[in-house]
Amino acid sequence: MKSLFKISALTVAMTLSGLASATAETLRVGTEGAYAPFNSVSQDGAIEGFDVDIGNAICAVMEVECEWSVHDWGGIIPALNANKFDFMVASMAITPARQKAVIFTDPYYYNAMRFVKLKDVDLDDAKPETLKGLTIGAQQGAVSAKVLDDWFADSDIKLFPKLGEALMDLESGRIDLVLASQFAIGDWMNDGVDCCEFVGESFLMDGTVGAGIAFRKDDAELQARVNKALKTIMDNGTYDEIRKKYFEFDIMSKPGYVSELFNQ
């Protein structure tokens, strides 16, 4: 009878465990997958990077299962609003224009932009007057593309679907400079690239308040839950452990705005 009881108890426990697993909340998380070191897809198909580690840490605090998917940057906000996934961890800068379409958490880092140039291009700084007539690349739909459109009308602007394509054109000498996240460019240059170097200072677009996690406008409750979990990982040291895997420096320091740099 004791053995029978033990088997019955074990069966009940396994059944309850299975039910708990089956009823665990699953949230779908979207990212781009082409923006190393923040988010990328490895050769074996794994989605990885700083954004992914942050998202997984948030999911662990929330005690939910998170399923990741990748989406082209140009259509990532429409994909979110079309319910392709529940929220987005994709290094998206919080801007007034984007806040009309989605809602965000508090910033989880400040993604400053900076120019990178071919070493053969003779420049000491990177301002509208010094880049006149030069060809500058940026990712289509990125904040950097708007900065170029607003401030560098006398340069030849070339936009690319993915940042990696712009950097490939730069390395091959087909364009003179690229404007993008200083972190993404730094990661690219640290991977054995010797053609190029930073020029000018880093900056944020006016109105940008850092990179945030995005949600549909009618998902304020989920936004609040994720924001609370984000604060938890920042307070308990998990955030800083993740940050140190990718960056040796503080990424929560806020740089100056573009107007402060170019209006001098």
Side-chain angles (χ1 to χ4, degrees):
M1 288 293 291
K2 280 187 177 180
S3 297
L4 196 58
F5 177 78
K6 286 180 180 179
I7 293 171
S8 298
L10 180 60
T11 302
V12 170
M14 290 175 66
T15 302
L16 290 174
S17 175
L19 286 172
S21 176
T23 57
E25 182 182 8
T26 299
L27 294 174
R28 300 163 301 157
V29 190
T31 194
E32 182 190 11
Y35 196 61
F38 295 98
N39 56 79
S40 59
V41 180
S42 68
Q43 290 185 345
D44 61 2
I47 305 171
E48 58 189 15
F50 176 78
D51 288 332
V52 180
D53 287 355
I54 291 295
N56 286 334
I58 287 170
C59 291
V61 169
M62 294 172 64
E63 297 183 344
V64 300
E65 295 180 9
C66 283
E67 296 178 350
W68 289 83
S69 59
V70 296
H71 306 265
D72 288 340
W73 184 255
I76 203 165
I77 287 180
L80 172 61
N81 284 327
N83 201 31
K84 301 289 186 183
F85 49 91
D86 298 310
F87 64 95
M88 180 205 313
V89 190
S91 289
M92 179 165 280
I94 304 168
T95 67
R98 288 172 176 160
Q99 286 174 311
K100 294 176 182 177
V102 295
I103 53 177
F104 290 93
T105 59
D106 296 331
Y108 64 101
Y109 76 96
Y110 288 95
N111 194 356
M113 291 170 279
R114 198 172 180 189
F115 285 97
V116 59
K117 73 175 184 71
L118 288 169
K119 289 182 178 178
D120 292 341
V121 176
D122 186 18
L123 288 171
D124 293 325
D125 62 16
K127 296 186 178 181
E129 59 271 22
T130 58
L131 303 190
K132 183 177 180 180
L134 296 178
T135 302
I136 310 172
Q139 184 176 12
Q140 185 177 4
V143 171
S144 54
K146 179 166 175 51
V147 168
L148 293 177
D149 185 55
D150 289 348
W151 291 86
F152 291 83
D154 293 329
S155 297
D156 180 19
I157 309 305
K158 186 174 181 181
L159 302 182
F160 299 80
K162 298 183 184 300
L163 176 59
E165 295 172 6
L167 294 173
M168 285 177 61
D169 265 23
L170 178 66
E171 188 173 11
S172 65
R174 288 190 287 269
I175 58 178
D176 301 305
L177 303 99
V178 166
L179 178 63
S181 157
Q182 63 179 348
F183 303 139
I185 293 171
D187 183 71
W188 172 69
M189 289 196 297
N190 287 338
D191 196 25
V193 174
D194 191 43
C195 65
C196 308
E197 61 190 8
F198 282 117
V199 61
E201 299 178 37
S202 61
F203 56 88
L204 293 171
M205 186 178 79
D206 288 21
T208 300
V209 291
I213 299 169
F215 306 79
R216 290 181 289 276
K217 283 205 160 189
D218 58 359
D219 275 346
E221 182 179 349
L222 179 58
Q223 174 209 30
R225 289 172 60 200
V226 172
N227 209 29
K228 181 179 179 181
L230 174 61
K231 186 177 186 305
T232 296
I233 67 169
M234 286 185 164
D235 291 344
N236 68 15
T238 301
Y239 174 91
D240 211 41
E241 288 179 11
I242 295 170
R243 189 269 303 167
K244 288 176 182 177
K245 286 175 55 181
Y246 298 92
F247 311 107
E248 297 179 355
F249 49 89
D250 178 18
I251 62 174
M252 284 297 290
S253 296
K254 186 177 178 181
Y257 286 120
V258 61
S259 62
E260 297 170 345
L261 180 62
F262 297 153
N263 279 337
Q264 292 176 354

